Amino acid sequence: MQRLYDFIRRHPTGVDGFWAVFLLGLSGVSLVAGQVGSSSTERIATAPIVIGLCLVVALRRRAPEKMLLLAVALGVAQLVFGVGPGVANFAMLVITFTVATVGERWASRLALVCSLSAAGLSQLRWPQNGPDGSWPQQVFVVVVMTVPFVLAWVLGDSMRTRRAYFSQLEERAARLEREREAQSKVAVAAERARIARELHDVVAHNVSVMVVQADGAAYVMDAAPDQARQALETISSTGRQALAEMRRLLGVLRTGDTKESGEYVPQPDVEQIEDLVEQVRQTGLAVDFKVEGTPRPLPSGVELTAYRIVQEALTNTRKHGGPDAGASVRLVYFDDGLGLLVEDDGRGAAHELYEDGGADGAGHGMIGMRERVGMVGGTLDAGPRPGGGFRISVLLPLKPGR
């Protein structure tokens, strides 16, 4: 049965053609049996009208509006030429249902009007006299003949409404699916931007430390082998730390082909800022580090943001501060947030580093800082320091702003 149903759905015109041929055969049997009038005009007009009504059934789904107009024209021809109702007139019931289901609105309304008036016109043209020929009998016949047409139209219109409802549901589902895909793309873009910022901070800081240590080791290789050895050890440890952090970040991009639990290294936090400052001191940059207030646990996003901002600020001091520059780092614990103040007494940074969004050529310097602070709802102020140098002031709230 399922195969038969699928075949009928795939070949609607063929199915309609079969029923048209079947209707034509029944009409032919009626003609042979003499169920038509005896006048010559009626006999001549009967065959074209019957064939036309069968054509209405065959093409009802291909051109429902045109077939409705054809059926109306054939009905008028029946009234004019006196061709009484027959088996072929079943096509009018079929086209009424079809137009109410899939036709245009004007065609559906026309079909309803014709359904309400067809029985009355037929009764006027071919009166059906009851035993007493009274008018109640005529009205009863009209009502009985009208009911099937009205029911066909109501059934077709209800199917139209149901199809429109399901079409709206499908459209809504498709729209929601598109919205989900768009949100997924936005989330992926945001994650990639976060990874780009993390990689920039890791590479810019650790590689600059390694370069400074390598230059120092080459300079004192012959005069002070112990200092050169210590510089090489610092390069080695810094490189391992950079590789570990990069491995953690790139692990986010894994497709999940292998089953590995946990992250490779923990996220940097506020407690590791002191180690970061000590590492920078080993490169020759004098850094004064102080903590004010009572340290307490902070949200992981705030701690990572604070660590990365200090890391980026000290990296910029080494890159732009010039020789003999010094820096200071202040962490202040407030009741409702964490304050950061990173200053240096160097020659200061270029104007474009802190204006117009902080584009520094690489595109991730001050821009990355502002984005990190904005994600946790904080504020950042960066610019030249009175008396020379550069200052970065940040306030990170404990609860993200709306």
Side-chain angles (χ1 to χ4, degrees):
M1 289 299 296
Q2 185 62 34
R3 291 182 179 179
L4 178 61
Y5 181 69
D6 293 338
F7 176 82
I8 292 174
R9 287 195 305 174
R10 290 195 303 267
H11 304 86
T13 305
V15 174
D16 292 339
F18 168 79
W19 288 114
V21 172
F22 180 75
L23 184 63
L24 181 62
L26 289 181
S27 300
V29 172
S30 300
L31 291 175
V32 173
Q35 296 182 2
V36 296
S38 58
S39 66
S40 59
T41 303
E42 183 179 354
R43 286 196 299 270
I44 294 173
T46 298
I49 290 175
V50 169
I51 294 174
L53 291 174
C54 293
L55 182 64
V56 168
V57 175
L59 301 179
R60 67 185 183 92
R61 277 186 275 199
R62 278 186 173 272
E65 293 84 6
K66 295 180 180 179
M67 291 301 103
L68 174 65
L69 295 177
L70 177 59
V72 172
L74 293 174
V76 173
Q78 282 186 268
L79 295 175
V80 172
F81 295 106
V83 179
V87 178
N89 287 103
F90 182 76
M92 296 183 176
L93 191 67
V94 174
I95 193 61
T96 298
F97 169 79
T98 303
V99 170
T101 304
V102 298
E104 298 290 340
R105 276 298 179 184
W106 66 265
S108 177
R109 296 188 183 98
L110 177 60
L112 178 60
V113 173
C114 293
S115 299
L116 295 174
S117 59
L121 295 174
S122 176
Q123 185 65 21
L124 292 175
R125 185 65 175 81
W126 300 280
Q128 301 292 328
N129 295 324
D132 54 358
S134 61
W135 67 267
Q137 180 72 20
Q138 307 293 335
V139 173
F140 177 76
V141 172
V142 171
V143 172
V144 170
M145 294 176 62
T146 303
V147 168
F149 286 92
V150 174
L151 289 178
W153 186 89
V154 170
L155 180 60
D157 191 71
S158 63
M159 290 189 65
R160 174 200 293 272
T161 303
R162 185 179 180 185
R163 289 181 179 180
Y165 173 72
F166 282 117
S167 178
Q168 290 179 356
L169 290 181
E170 292 176 356
E171 181 182 358
R172 183 180 303 174
R175 184 172 64 253
L176 292 176
E177 184 66 23
R178 291 192 298 268
E179 291 177 357
R180 281 195 295 268
E181 291 178 359
Q183 292 174 357
S184 299
K185 291 180 180 179
V186 171
V188 170
E191 183 65 14
R192 289 179 178 177
R194 185 189 70 82
I195 294 174
R197 289 192 297 268
E198 294 285 330
L199 287 175
H200 170 269
D201 294 340
V202 171
V203 173
H205 173 74
N206 291 291
V207 172
S208 62
V209 170
M210 294 167 65
V211 170
V212 171
Q213 293 290 341
D215 291 340
Y219 182 76
V220 300
M221 179 67 71
D222 297 329
D226 293 338
Q227 294 183 10
R229 185 180 301 106
Q230 183 179 3
L232 292 176
E233 291 176 355
T234 302
I235 293 174
S236 177
S237 62
T238 304
R240 289 191 181 94
Q241 179 182 357
L243 287 176
E245 290 197 36
M246 292 179 65
R247 189 183 181 199
R248 173 183 61 81
L249 292 172
L250 296 178
V252 178
L253 303 178
R254 297 177 65 88
T255 58
D257 296 333
T258 58
K259 302 293 184 180
E260 296 185 12
S261 61
E263 293 185 336
Y264 297 105
V265 293
Q267 292 272 14
D269 54 21
V270 173
E271 294 182 357
Q272 297 183 27
I273 292 180
E274 186 173 0
D275 298 334
L276 173 65
V277 170
E278 184 63 31
Q279 185 184 54
V280 173
R281 287 171 178 165
Q282 294 178 6
T283 65
L285 178 64
V287 182
D288 181 29
F289 176 67
K290 289 184 179 180
V291 178
E292 300 178 7
T294 303
R296 60 182 180 277
L298 301 172
S300 58
V302 172
E303 295 204 5
L304 177 61
T305 299
Y307 180 90
R308 292 305 186 197
I309 288 176
V310 174
Q311 185 182 55
E312 178 66 25
L314 295 178
T315 301
N316 288 338
T317 299
R318 284 198 310 269
K319 291 168 60 177
H320 307 288
D324 301 327
S328 64
V329 178
R330 298 288 184 273
L331 266 68
V332 183
Y333 287 88
F334 298 105
D335 294 336
D336 57 351
L338 175 68
L340 287 174
L341 179 62
V342 184
E343 296 179 308
D344 66 72
D345 56 4
R347 61 191 178 191
H351 179 75
E352 58 269 14
L353 276 178
Y354 54 89
E355 294 290 342
D356 300 330
D360 63 349
H364 294 287
M366 293 297 300
I367 291 179
M369 286 191 189
R370 297 184 189 279
E371 290 182 353
R372 288 183 182 277
V373 173
M375 284 193 306
V376 297
T379 58
L380 181 144
D381 182 24
R385 176 174 170 266
F390 201 75
R391 169 186 292 169
I392 295 176
S393 177
V394 177
L395 179 60
L396 303 175
L398 296 183
K399 295 183 179 180
R402 294 185 179 179

